[in-house]
Amino acid sequence: MAETDTQREAVLTAVERVTDRIAEEKGHLTDLDSAIGDADHGANLDRGFGKALAAVEDSEDDPAEIVKTVGVTLVSAVGGASGPLYGGSIMTASQELEGGITADSSVAFAEAYLKKVKDRGGARIGDKTMVDALTPAVHTYKKSIEEDELSPVTALSKAVDAAERGVRFTTPIRANKGRASYLGWRSVGHPDPGATSTLYIMEELLAVASE
Amino acid sequence: MAETDTQREAVLTAVERVTDRIAEEKGHLTDLDSAIGDADHGANLDRGFGKALAAVEDSEDDPAEIVKTVGVTLVSAVGGASGPLYGGSIMTASQELEGGITADSSVAFAEAYLKKVKDRGGARIGDKTMVDALTPAVHTYKKSIEEDELSPVTALSKAVDAAERGVRFTTPIRANKGRASYLGWRSVGHPDPGATSTLYIMEELLAVASE
Amino acid sequence: MVRVDMKKLINEPGAVVDEMLDGMVAAYPEALARLDGTNVLVRADAPVEGKVGIVSGGGSGHEPTHAGYIGDGMLDGAAAGEVFTSPTADQLGEMIQACDAGEGVLCVVKNYEGDVMNFETGIELAEMESDVEVTYVVVDDDVAVEDSLYTSGRRGVCGTIFVHKAAGAKAAQGGDLAEVERVAQKVVDRVGTMGMALTSCTTPEKGEPTFDLPEDEIELGIGIHGEPGIERTEVMDADSVTEHLTERVLEDLELDAGARVATIVNGMGGTPQMELFVVNRRLQEILGERDIETWDAWVGDYMTSLDMAGCSITLLELDDELEELLSHPVETPALTVRDD
Amino acid sequence: MVRVDMKKLINEPGAVVDEMLDGMVAAYPEALARLDGTNVLVRADAPVEGKVGIVSGGGSGHEPTHAGYIGDGMLDGAAAGEVFTSPTADQLGEMIQACDAGEGVLCVVKNYEGDVMNFETGIELAEMESDVEVTYVVVDDDVAVEDSLYTSGRRGVCGTIFVHKAAGAKAAQGGDLAEVERVAQKVVDRVGTMGMALTSCTTPEKGEPTFDLPEDEIELGIGIHGEPGIERTEVMDADSVTEHLTERVLEDLELDAGARVATIVNGMGGTPQMELFVVNRRLQEILGERDIETWDAWVGDYMTSLDMAGCSITLLELDDELEELLSHPVETPALTVRDD
Ligand SMILES: Nc1ncnc2c1ncn2[C@@H]1O[C@H](COP(=O)(O)OP(=O)(O)O)[C@@H](O)[C@H]1O
Ligand SMILES: Nc1ncnc2c1ncn2[C@@H]1O[C@H](COP(=O)(O)OP(=O)(O)O)[C@@H](O)[C@H]1O
Ligand SMILES: [Mg+2]
Ligand SMILES: [Mg+2]
Ligand SMILES: [Mg+2]
Ligand SMILES: [Mg+2]
């Protein structure tokens, strides 16, 4: 099997597993969002990934193209804040994968993704958003590969740990961005839904990468 | 004390006691009305008698005039079906008392009252309305006084018994008049609110007469 | 501050009608006026010279019914009773007199014994005190109620709005009392409604739901006073509810292919508009399938039961005259129709 | 038949927006049209020759917002997202293009990150695909939310209706894009709103209340998306609620004696109109006490949160220009202003 085919397989498996996981966690994510938001985060992502999977399922495209289609579909199916954040960032970052998925290009993808989320949403670390899970995860991934020269799978596993700490970090702080910010101090004590879904997605990527 | 003064006292006491009793039973009457009506019979009568009492409290009028004022006030304060039925009938029947309250005039009052309720509302016995309590009560009262030559107090006490049986009679039958009739067969199994309030009022009249 | 123990934006439960009426006049000071010492609202310019007066009234809790339909081309006056309780005869009498410009007054009465008895008495009072000519029509559009010798007859519900509209237009066009009454009766003869509830309503006085409705049941054939309906069934989806209600009304009106109707999907007060439009979608589909032409479709809260969740469906069979009268421009708080 | 386990007149929860939009078009077939394959409604005659286009949009569940304000003198298009979720950028892009007659398009965006981000992307898409000139204003009238560098800023709520009205009138009068935008921004600068909830709402997807509110507590400072408010207090009577909300808005707008305002007492979807008028009564009293003149008072469901019980109060400080623009005739499903 050609390299591209293997990578396409992996990407499609990843999309499937992420879609399944989000479907599984839909109720939980919505509960998180009802505590400090508007109770739709689970439904939003579930609708989005369901359509994204349908859009790419039997695709013969390049892996980068498939990733881009996932992003485009999320933009046009999710809506809300998470639509442009997840979808737009995947769309933009997918360019980094055009030469194939390698350790280096995956770092570039992760960095481009984080940058786009921050540019689009204007949130900084500590604002209690997905940025709080993403930033430590991307930083850890980059350092693990570029400085510690770990394998992508090991690096990703460290990144997942970092993301998890990021999610836990969002619980005790006050939201400054997103709907949760309207609650002011009342947002303290709840984890951020977007940070949580970011973690779940990364866990699935790790699972696929480890196989 | 002149006869008129004694009668005025008695009438005013009766108005007071009826008002108190209705206030006491307000919740219960409303509950009865919420089972087969629109949950306002207690509030309707309570509002009406409250205003009626206020209108006559310090009156120096003739007894018949006071009774008429009670009727007029009920008409303009109750609304609903029970407003014209109670108020209009008291108003009309009060004419029978113009020569003073005697055993005979009280029978005439009772008959005029029943006739007006039936004329105005068009209900017949068995339609599950106040007519079912009123009819046996008025018939019993009339017979007790005119044929059995009992005292008004004894006659009234027999009339109250008859009214009570009338109320119980309304429970197992289907309503053909009033809001309860919209329920069709579902009205079976509940006593009629207007029959019940009729009984309460008669009980208070008996208590005053017995003093 | 008065503590109220139920979840309502009210002060004293006993003051709610009075305060509501003041709040209405405050919202439409140029259009509405309150008759001193009564719960009657009238057009600020009542009585309108040269025009038959049209008045209505009933219990409160059905807003925008009745006062919401006061205005040019519709009602001249509306009497508000306590919540779900007919207005009293004396106030009805005053209203009739206040809306008479010498051309007579038509009373639009919904078929409830309380309303009918109080209106009859009110008309008597008005006739005793002045030489106003008064007639009335009794609206009984609720097809859920069996109409037989042994009941009080059908209730008057949301079809009443069409009566106000058509009679109001006829009066605005200069129709005399007999013509206005004829038009009102024509609507009564051609209109049918059936309603349902997902939840009970809660009156300010009682403070708790009028009837218990389990989580998985709905009431079919409810009225607008928190009376339980004629039948309780398990929860159904919107399309099934719509089919059920529509079939009952169609059957009653005996509408055949080729008929032309105006429709109302009416919210009971606690129903999101979103859901009313979902119902309207299926209603119009059903009419389309049967080749019944919808000339105009109204969707919204026209005659409510406080905070009840549910809806009713009203169909009026049109002819050219009624179509023309329904298109006549009207400007009221709750309904505006513009000149084309 | 699909069994739904919550008390709503819906079919599949996932189909509710689609079916609602069809039901709206079925109610106003001559006024509204749906853009194929989207959840966008536009004026049936869009784009209107020689006129700047005005579009809005946001999550569903706020009906009659947004599509209820489509029509002559107000919006040209409205995009409906899923319940409480912004519409997607691609649909916003399509809407913008469909409403451009060559004079440009103004987008009225409520200040939610989702709405803002999707509109920004939608504008980019429209500009890429055609040479439409697009601008947007962000409405942020909710005075409950602290406005500081460290928040997403205030939410856009019911004051948006005044933005639609004024900008729509300006466009109808032939204003160019810059003038229409200036007017919209002027309203944004002068409008404030504060809301409260007696109960939570229930979304079709979740099927149970978004937040728990005990029997004896209310939320102050809620938005329109079922987000909990800024403060929870014990139940208050209507006058106290009205005073609280009004004071907060007055403070924010720094209105002094002699000011002239337009007001909205807005219902959240599950509030009986009766209660809204009780609130309006006290609101107008308070304004009177402070010598603030109410030029026009609107009372009703303008921007809702599904079946939530509660209300919001909006004040807009007028000047002659805004007064003139608010009086401009308009005909939409949810708002009609007639020519005098
Ligand atoms: N400005 C922002 N920057 C980064 N992330 C954000 C921002 N606003 C919201 N989010 C993320 O989006 C999540 C909410 O997504 P979702 O519920 O789908 O959208 P919405 O808030 O429009 O309902 C939040 O939990 C948060 O992580
Ligand atoms: N047509 C009628 N004839 C006699 N009594 C009637 C009639 N209609 C109603 N009633 C009586 O009135 C009672 C209800 O009164 P109430 O609840 O105050 O008025 P409403 O039915 O208008 O809400 C019924 O229980 C019944 O006894
Ligand atoms: Mg959300
Ligand atoms: Mg009753
Ligand atoms: Mg009643
Ligand atoms: Mg959302």
Side-chain angles (χ1 to χ4, degrees):
Chain A
M1 200 151 63
E3 178 67 16
T4 318
D5 290 338
T6 322
Q7 291 194 351
R8 181 190 304 115
E9 282 303 299
V11 168
L12 290 177
T13 311
V15 176
E16 254 170 50
R17 295 196 52 153
V18 167
T19 305
D20 286 352
R21 178 73 184 276
I22 291 293
E24 226 168 77
E25 307 280 3
K26 176 178 166 185
H28 177 58
L29 290 172
T30 290
D31 285 348
L32 294 181
D33 197 31
S34 68
I36 55 171
D38 60 348
D40 62 357
H41 189 57
N44 286 350
L45 290 189
D46 183 49
R47 187 176 57 246
F49 279 104
K51 294 219 173 132
L53 178 58
V56 299
E57 221 155 14
D58 305 310
S59 171
E60 307 272 311
D61 288 342
D62 272 358
E65 194 58 32
I66 292 179
V67 173
K68 187 174 168 194
T69 304
V70 169
V72 172
T73 312
L74 291 179
V75 166
S76 70
V78 174
S82 53
L85 289 172
Y86 270 115
S89 307
I90 291 175
M91 224 168 87
T92 305
S94 69
Q95 292 167 15
E96 306 297 334
L97 303 178
E98 275 168 12
I101 304 179
T102 62
D104 284 348
S105 78
S106 70
V107 171
F109 176 91
E111 285 193 297
Y113 182 94
L114 173 60
K115 182 171 185 311
K116 189 74 192 177
V117 168
K118 291 175 78 169
D119 286 352
R120 173 123 274 160
R124 289 177 305 185
I125 201 156
D127 283 348
K128 192 176 183 119
T129 68
M130 53 174 69
V131 169
D132 296 347
L134 265 181
T135 310
V138 173
H139 287 187
T140 302
Y141 188 65
K142 183 179 165 83
K143 171 165 184 283
S144 300
I145 288 191
E146 294 187 354
E147 296 195 14
D148 306 342
E149 298 184 8
L150 300 175
S151 75
V153 174
T154 315
L156 187 51
S157 132
K158 284 181 175 289
V160 167
D161 288 347
E164 199 185 332
R165 280 196 295 274
V167 172
R168 278 201 239 114
F169 167 73
T170 63
T171 301
I173 61 175
R174 176 183 161 153
N176 293 330
K177 278 284 171 183
R179 262 176 221 293
S181 72
Y182 306 134
L183 285 177
W185 293 109
R186 292 176 75 191
S187 64
V188 171
H190 302 273
D192 178 63
T196 308
S197 58
T198 298
L199 170 64
Y200 293 160
I201 291 171
M202 288 183 58
E203 284 175 353
E204 295 309 312
L205 297 184
L206 173 62
V208 175
S210 310
E211 271 162 11
Chain B
M1 202 151 63
E3 177 68 15
T4 317
D5 291 338
T6 324
Q7 290 194 353
R8 181 189 305 114
E9 283 304 300
V11 168
L12 290 176
T13 311
V15 176
E16 255 168 51
R17 295 194 51 152
V18 168
T19 306
D20 287 352
R21 178 71 185 277
I22 291 293
E24 227 167 78
E25 307 279 5
K26 176 178 165 185
H28 177 59
L29 290 171
T30 291
D31 284 348
L32 294 182
D33 198 30
S34 68
I36 56 171
D38 59 349
D40 63 357
H41 189 57
N44 286 349
L45 289 189
D46 183 48
R47 185 176 59 246
F49 279 103
K51 296 219 171 130
L53 178 59
V56 299
E57 221 154 16
D58 305 308
S59 170
E60 307 272 311
D61 288 344
D62 273 359
E65 194 59 31
I66 293 181
V67 174
K68 186 176 171 192
T69 305
V70 168
V72 172
T73 312
L74 291 180
V75 166
S76 70
V78 174
S82 53
L85 289 172
Y86 269 114
S89 306
I90 291 175
M91 224 168 88
T92 305
S94 70
Q95 293 166 16
E96 307 296 335
L97 304 179
E98 274 166 13
I101 303 181
T102 63
D104 284 349
S105 77
S106 69
V107 171
F109 175 91
E111 286 193 296
Y113 181 94
L114 174 60
K115 180 171 187 309
K116 189 75 192 178
V117 168
K118 291 176 78 170
D119 285 353
R120 173 120 277 162
R124 290 177 302 184
I125 202 155
D127 283 347
K128 192 176 184 121
T129 68
M130 52 175 69
V131 169
D132 296 345
L134 265 180
T135 310
V138 172
H139 288 187
T140 302
Y141 188 67
K142 183 179 163 83
K143 169 165 187 282
S144 300
I145 289 191
E146 295 188 354
E147 294 195 16
D148 305 342
E149 298 184 9
L150 301 175
S151 76
V153 174
T154 315
L156 188 51
S157 129
K158 285 182 176 291
V160 168
D161 287 347
E164 199 185 332
R165 281 196 292 275
V167 172
R168 278 201 241 115
F169 168 73
T170 64
T171 302
I173 61 176
R174 175 182 162 155
N176 292 329
K177 278 284 171 182
R179 264 176 219 294
S181 71
Y182 306 135
L183 285 177
W185 292 109
R186 291 177 74 191
S187 63
V188 171
H190 304 271
D192 177 63
T196 308
S197 58
T198 298
L199 170 64
Y200 294 159
I201 292 170
M202 289 184 59
E203 283 175 355
E204 295 309 310
L205 297 184
L206 174 61
V208 175
S210 310
E211 271 163 13
Chain C
M1 196 195 85
V2 181
R3 256 305 286 278
V4 283
D5 288 302
M6 81 201 92
K7 291 282 189 84
K8 287 194 177 291
L9 284 167
I10 60 173
N11 300 299
E12 292 287 354
V16 68
V17 173
D18 178 56
E19 294 182 351
M20 166 186 79
L21 293 171
D22 281 348
M24 284 185 162
V25 174
Y28 304 96
E30 277 147 41
L32 301 179
R34 186 164 173 178
L35 288 190
D36 271 353
T38 72
N39 287 344
V40 173
L41 298 189
V42 295
R43 278 177 68 158
D45 56 355
V48 181
E49 214 48 55
K51 192 183 87 66
V52 168
I54 306 202
V55 299
S56 189
S60 292
H62 309 302
E63 292 67 34
T65 293
H66 301 81
Y69 301 105
I70 294 177
D72 197 14
M74 232 162 152
L75 298 182
D76 294 277
E82 295 298 319
V83 173
F84 293 170
T85 302
S86 337
T88 58
D90 55 332
Q91 302 204 357
L92 293 170
E94 280 198 52
M95 170 170 73
I96 290 166
Q97 288 176 261
C99 296
D100 179 36
E103 310 295 326
V105 175
L106 172 76
C107 303
V108 180
V109 186
K110 294 194 295 327
N111 191 32
Y112 297 97
E113 270 143 340
D115 287 16
V116 175
M117 286 190 277
N118 282 291
F119 260 103
E120 282 174 352
T121 314
I123 291 171
E124 279 168 30
L125 291 171
E127 285 172 341
M128 268 160 49
E129 288 170 29
S130 70
D131 55 1
V132 53
E133 200 184 335
V134 197
T135 57
Y136 68 101
V137 291
V138 176
V139 189
D140 59 350
D141 56 320
D142 188 351
V143 305
V145 174
E146 217 180 304
D147 191 17
S148 84
L149 271 180
Y150 305 107
T151 70
S152 302
R154 295 165 161 204
R155 295 174 284 212
V157 284
C158 192
T160 310
I161 311 302
F162 283 140
V163 180
H164 295 167
K165 177 70 191 75
K170 191 74 195 173
Q173 293 171 358
D176 66 21
L177 185 57
E179 285 169 316
V180 171
E181 184 188 354
R182 178 186 57 77
V183 160
Q185 189 58 49
K186 187 178 194 178
V187 175
V188 171
D189 294 340
R190 294 165 156 253
V191 70
T193 298
M194 175 133 167
M196 60 79 59
L198 294 165
T199 65
S200 170
C201 56
T202 300
T203 61
E205 281 286 353
K206 184 150 192 267
E208 47 190 76
T210 299
F211 54 91
D212 283 324
L213 204 45
E215 280 293 291
D216 53 352
E217 287 179 10
I218 60 176
E219 290 265 346
L220 294 174
I222 48 138
I224 52 168
H225 296 87
E227 315 98 313
I230 43 158
E231 192 188 333
R232 192 165 280 197
T233 65
E234 59 171 19
V235 169
M236 295 191 272
D237 63 17
D239 284 355
S240 307
V241 167
T242 309
E243 286 152 22
H244 186 95
L245 301 183
T246 310
E247 292 306 330
R248 287 289 295 259
V249 179
L250 285 173
E251 238 167 68
D252 185 86
L253 294 182
E254 299 178 356
L255 289 185
D256 295 324
R260 199 169 12 133
V261 295
T263 64
I264 305 180
V265 174
N266 173 55
M268 290 297 174
T271 320
Q273 271 193 26
M274 167 180 274
E275 298 174 27
L276 301 180
F277 282 113
V278 170
V279 170
N280 185 55
R281 171 188 154 278
R282 182 71 192 121
L283 167 62
Q284 302 307 332
E285 257 178 23
I286 296 171
L287 297 177
E289 286 159 12
R290 296 181 170 238
D291 260 328
I292 293 169
E293 181 201 342
T294 297
W295 170 77
D296 205 4
W298 299 0
V299 179
D301 283 6
Y302 290 92
M303 186 179 285
T304 61
S305 293
L306 293 170
D307 55 351
M308 183 184 282
C311 72
S312 66
I313 290 180
T314 299
L315 303 182
L316 167 65
E317 186 179 8
L318 298 174
D319 62 5
D320 291 343
E321 180 181 38
L322 291 181
E323 186 176 314
E324 193 270 319
L325 291 169
L326 291 191
S327 343
H328 184 86
V330 68
E331 184 163 20
T332 70
L335 184 74
T336 314
V337 174
R338 258 173 58 165
D339 244 330
D340 288 315
Chain D
M1 196 195 83
V2 181
R3 255 306 282 279
V4 284
D5 287 301
M6 81 202 94
K7 289 282 188 85
K8 288 195 177 291
L9 285 167
I10 60 173
N11 299 300
E12 292 287 353
V16 68
V17 173
D18 177 57
E19 293 182 351
M20 165 185 80
L21 293 171
D22 281 349
M24 284 184 162
V25 174
Y28 304 97
E30 276 146 40
L32 301 179
R34 186 163 175 181
L35 288 190
D36 271 353
T38 72
N39 287 345
V40 173
L41 298 189
V42 295
R43 278 177 69 159
D45 57 354
V48 180
E49 215 45 59
K51 192 183 87 66
V52 168
I54 306 201
V55 299
S56 190
S60 292
H62 308 302
E63 293 66 35
T65 294
H66 300 82
Y69 300 106
I70 294 178
D72 196 13
M74 231 162 153
L75 298 181
D76 295 277
E82 293 301 317
V83 173
F84 294 171
T85 302
S86 337
T88 57
D90 54 332
Q91 301 203 359
L92 293 170
E94 279 198 54
M95 170 172 71
I96 291 166
Q97 288 176 261
C99 296
D100 179 38
E103 310 293 326
V105 174
L106 173 75
C107 303
V108 180
V109 186
K110 294 195 295 325
N111 191 31
Y112 298 96
E113 271 143 339
D115 287 15
V116 174
M117 287 190 276
N118 282 292
F119 261 103
E120 282 174 351
T121 313
I123 292 171
E124 280 168 29
L125 291 172
E127 286 171 342
M128 268 161 48
E129 289 171 26
S130 68
D131 56 1
V132 55
E133 199 185 335
V134 197
T135 58
Y136 68 101
V137 292
V138 176
V139 189
D140 59 349
D141 56 319
D142 188 352
V143 305
V145 174
E146 216 180 306
D147 192 16
S148 85
L149 273 180
Y150 305 107
T151 70
S152 301
R154 296 161 159 208
R155 294 173 284 211
V157 285
C158 192
T160 309
I161 312 301
F162 282 141
V163 180
H164 295 167
K165 178 71 190 75
K170 191 74 195 174
Q173 293 171 358
D176 66 21
L177 185 58
E179 286 171 314
V180 171
E181 185 188 355
R182 178 186 58 75
V183 160
Q185 188 58 49
K186 187 179 194 178
V187 175
V188 171
D189 295 340
R190 294 164 156 256
V191 69
T193 298
M194 175 130 167
M196 60 80 59
L198 295 165
T199 66
S200 169
C201 57
T202 300
T203 61
E205 280 286 353
K206 186 150 189 270
E208 46 190 76
T210 299
F211 53 90
D212 283 323
L213 204 46
E215 279 293 292
D216 53 352
E217 287 179 10
I218 60 175
E219 290 264 349
L220 294 174
I222 49 137
I224 51 168
H225 296 87
E227 315 96 316
I230 45 161
E231 195 188 332
R232 190 167 281 199
T233 66
E234 58 173 16
V235 169
M236 295 190 274
D237 64 16
D239 284 356
S240 307
V241 166
T242 309
E243 285 152 21
H244 186 95
L245 301 183
T246 310
E247 293 306 331
R248 287 289 296 261
V249 179
L250 284 173
E251 239 168 66
D252 184 88
L253 294 182
E254 299 178 358
L255 289 185
D256 295 324
R260 199 168 12 132
V261 296
T263 64
I264 306 180
V265 174
N266 173 54
M268 291 297 174
T271 320
Q273 270 192 28
M274 166 178 273
E275 299 174 28
L276 300 180
F277 283 112
V278 169
V279 169
N280 185 56
R281 172 189 153 277
R282 183 69 193 124
L283 167 63
Q284 302 306 333
E285 258 179 22
I286 296 171
L287 296 177
E289 287 158 12
R290 296 180 169 239
D291 260 329
I292 293 170
E293 181 201 339
T294 298
W295 171 76
D296 205 3
W298 298 2
V299 179
D301 284 5
Y302 290 93
M303 186 179 286
T304 60
S305 293
L306 293 170
D307 55 350
M308 183 184 282
C311 72
S312 66
I313 290 180
T314 298
L315 302 183
L316 167 65
E317 187 180 8
L318 297 174
D319 62 4
D320 291 344
E321 180 181 36
L322 290 180
E323 187 175 314
E324 192 269 320
L325 291 170
L326 291 191
S327 341
H328 184 86
V330 69
E331 183 162 21
T332 71
L335 184 74
T336 313
V337 174
R338 258 174 59 165
D339 245 330
D340 288 317

